[in-house]
Amino acid sequence: MLKLYIVCIFDLFNRVVKYIVENVGKTFSANAIVKFLKSEGRSLSVESVYNYINWLEKAFVIYRCQRYDLQGKSLLKTQEKFYLADTSLKYCIMGFNTKSIASMLENIVYFELRRKGYDVYIGKNESKEIDFVAVKRDERIYVQVCRQLPEESDREVENLLEIKDNYPKYVVTLDELAGGNINGVKIVHLADFLLSDEY
């Protein structure tokens, strides 16, 4: 009986890990995981999901990124995101999928900002989301991340332009042809972002 219980717990833990890995860089909801497992005929409490997440954090497998309200200048306790300590974990567990490149790009930028000594948050500016607000002492930068700049949309740049302060703003992309400056927002290739000491 004990062996069956342990197998069941291990199976549920693995399913939670897979869910988190598959949804890197997306807004996290323990309730969504519980509903997902229920749809697969499994039962797990919200408290257990948070326990599993705490274990993964303590093992340095995932890192929590909290949401920061730019209007109220306060941390929000909901809608946080998680990033993987090593992006290869996603491909190990889930296999390669071109649809995951954008989230893995975001994952890389998150850890690069942390490596450079920033405290990193997800920005909330009214109804708009800023991928990252990075703070280091009196410095602050805003970063949007996208695989390519959309041809028929200014969303990445517009979200940054709506922030009414003079801190540096960047869009980091894999787009080889993108670059320059749009109304003060710098467009930067990922390689330049990783190699530069400017950010």
Side-chain angles (χ1 to χ4, degrees):
M1 189 71 176
L2 179 62
K3 186 177 179 181
L4 182 62
Y5 175 75
I6 291 169
V7 168
C8 182
I9 294 296
F10 185 69
D11 176 62
L12 286 170
F13 179 72
N14 277 340
R15 287 173 187 272
V16 170
V17 169
K18 283 182 181 177
Y19 184 93
I20 291 169
V21 166
E22 194 169 2
N23 291 283
V24 162
K26 294 181 183 172
T27 302
F28 172 78
S29 164
N31 286 323
I33 294 178
V34 169
K35 285 179 186 174
F36 168 74
L37 290 172
K38 191 173 182 181
S39 73
E40 291 196 333
R42 303 286 195 276
S43 177
L44 188 66
S45 70
V46 170
E47 184 181 351
S48 293
V49 171
Y50 280 116
N51 285 338
Y52 293 167
I53 285 167
N54 285 334
W55 296 345
L56 291 168
E57 283 186 280
K58 286 177 181 175
F60 303 105
V61 174
I62 60 173
Y63 286 76
R64 185 185 308 251
C65 188
Q66 292 180 295
R67 191 169 293 268
Y68 184 82
D69 183 2
L70 298 173
Q71 302 298 315
K73 295 184 171 48
S74 62
L75 285 178
L76 302 175
K77 294 183 179 179
T78 59
Q79 297 183 319
E80 56 207 357
K81 294 183 179 181
F82 290 93
Y83 294 98
L84 289 171
D86 186 337
T87 53
S88 65
L89 290 171
K90 180 160 186 167
Y91 300 122
C92 252
I93 294 170
M94 307 303 298
F96 179 75
N97 183 339
T98 54
K99 291 179 182 176
S100 70
I101 291 174
S103 64
M104 291 299 93
L105 176 61
E106 195 174 307
N107 202 110
I108 290 166
V109 171
Y110 170 77
F111 278 102
E112 180 62 13
L113 289 167
R114 288 194 52 158
R115 188 189 71 77
K116 289 177 175 171
Y118 288 98
D119 293 323
V120 186
Y121 308 96
I122 304 153
K124 180 182 181 295
N125 190 26
E126 294 180 358
S127 62
K128 303 287 176 69
E129 182 180 291
I130 309 301
D131 288 334
F132 299 117
V133 179
V135 180
K136 189 196 311 182
R137 294 180 294 280
D138 295 333
E139 298 175 48
R140 177 184 295 184
I141 64 173
Y142 301 102
V143 182
Q144 287 285 83
V145 183
C146 62
R147 186 175 177 184
Q148 289 185 310
L149 286 173
E151 289 182 18
E152 297 178 17
S153 169
D154 294 347
R155 186 180 71 85
E156 302 296 341
V157 174
E158 287 298 320
N159 283 5
L160 292 171
L161 290 175
E162 286 188 21
I163 302 170
K164 303 302 179 190
D165 64 31
N166 294 319
Y167 290 111
K169 300 168 179 73
Y170 302 94
V171 174
V172 178
T173 180
L174 284 179
D175 195 334
E176 296 282 351
L177 302 175
N181 187 310
I182 301 173
N183 296 326
V185 175
K186 293 182 183 177
I187 312 301
V188 184
H189 189 276
L190 176 64
D192 297 324
F193 182 81
L194 295 175
L195 293 171
S196 176
D197 291 328
E198 181 183 341
Y199 325 109

